[in-house]
């Protein structure tokens, strides 16, 4: 039997919790870079607590948007049991770190992301070669925006913004 088709809003950046499948919701969160409008995070309702895939960029507005979307689903930020982060870009990872500071939420990311995270410059909020690589790939406009912007990065005082309890190999078990 085929899964039912779930209608999505015409504008994929429309705030809210949009159902994808039973117990799974897509939440678009705004980004601070004008040419990149939003990132999608996914909430999976689980008996042991919410699992959030990716987290958004750590900013007061994105935290409020995530909080509002969870509220519509009958949940709060402290109901999130863990974040599963797909990769170490700050629009997927930094809010998980900030919420871990507030709630002790478990953050998991694959072992293959370790070199990117360890190379990240937490004082400036940039990967050392990010702007150069964006330019080499032809994304000059995005490179200009990133090079000129003050980015909010959690844990500026820590050496490395690492996941909770070491690195995973792809498994989400504790």
């Amino acid at each position: 039997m085929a899964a039912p088709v779930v209608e999505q809003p015409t504008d994929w950046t429309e705030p809210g919790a949009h159902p994808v499948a039973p117990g799974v919701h897509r939440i678009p969160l705004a980004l601070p870079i004008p040419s990149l409008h939003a990132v999608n995070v996914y909430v999976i309702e689980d008996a042991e607590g919410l699992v959030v895939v990716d987290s958004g960029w750590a900013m007061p507005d994105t935290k409020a948007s995530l909080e509002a979307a969870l509220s519509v689903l009958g949940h709060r930020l402290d109901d999130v049991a863990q974040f599963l982060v797909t990769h170490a870009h700050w629009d997927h990872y930094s809010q998980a770190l900030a919420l871990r500071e507030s709630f002790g939420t478990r953050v998991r990311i694959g072992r293959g992301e370790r070199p990117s995270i360890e190379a990240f410059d937490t004082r400036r909020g940039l990967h050392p070669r990010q702007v150069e690589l964006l330019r080499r790939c032809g994304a000059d406009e995005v490179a200009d925006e990133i090079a000129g912007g003050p980015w909010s990065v959690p844990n500026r005082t820590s050496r490395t913004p690492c996941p909770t309890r070491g690195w995973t190999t792809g498994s989400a078990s504790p």
Side-chain angles (χ1 to χ4, degrees), residues 132-155:
E132 168 198 338
L133 293 172
L134 285 166
R135 290 191 197 294
R136 190 172 353 154
C137 293
D140 290 328
E141 183 178 328
V142 175
D144 290 344
E145 289 176 41
I146 289 174
W151 310 113
S152 170
V153 179
N155 280 343

Side-chain angles (χ1 to χ4, degrees), residues 73-88:
L73 299 174
H75 298 289
R76 301 183 324 229
L77 288 173
D78 61 350
D79 292 332
V80 178
Q82 66 181 321
F83 287 96
L84 301 180
V85 180
T86 59
H87 59 284

Side-chain angles (χ1 to χ4, degrees), residues 45 67 76 86 112 117:
E45 295 177 292
E67 195 168 28
R76 301 183 324 229
T86 59
I117 291 170

Side-chain angles (χ1 to χ4, degrees), residues 18-64:
H18 308 285
V20 175
V24 180
H25 304 273
R26 179 183 64 83
I27 300 174
L29 298 175
L31 293 174
I33 303 169
S35 61
L36 301 172
H37 305 288
V39 63
N40 287 314
V41 304
Y42 293 86
V43 174
I44 303 166
E45 295 177 292
D46 185 73
E48 295 180 26
L50 300 178
V51 176
V52 178
V53 179
D54 293 330
S55 66
W57 200 301
M59 300 182 303
D61 290 351
T62 56
K63 179 182 177 185

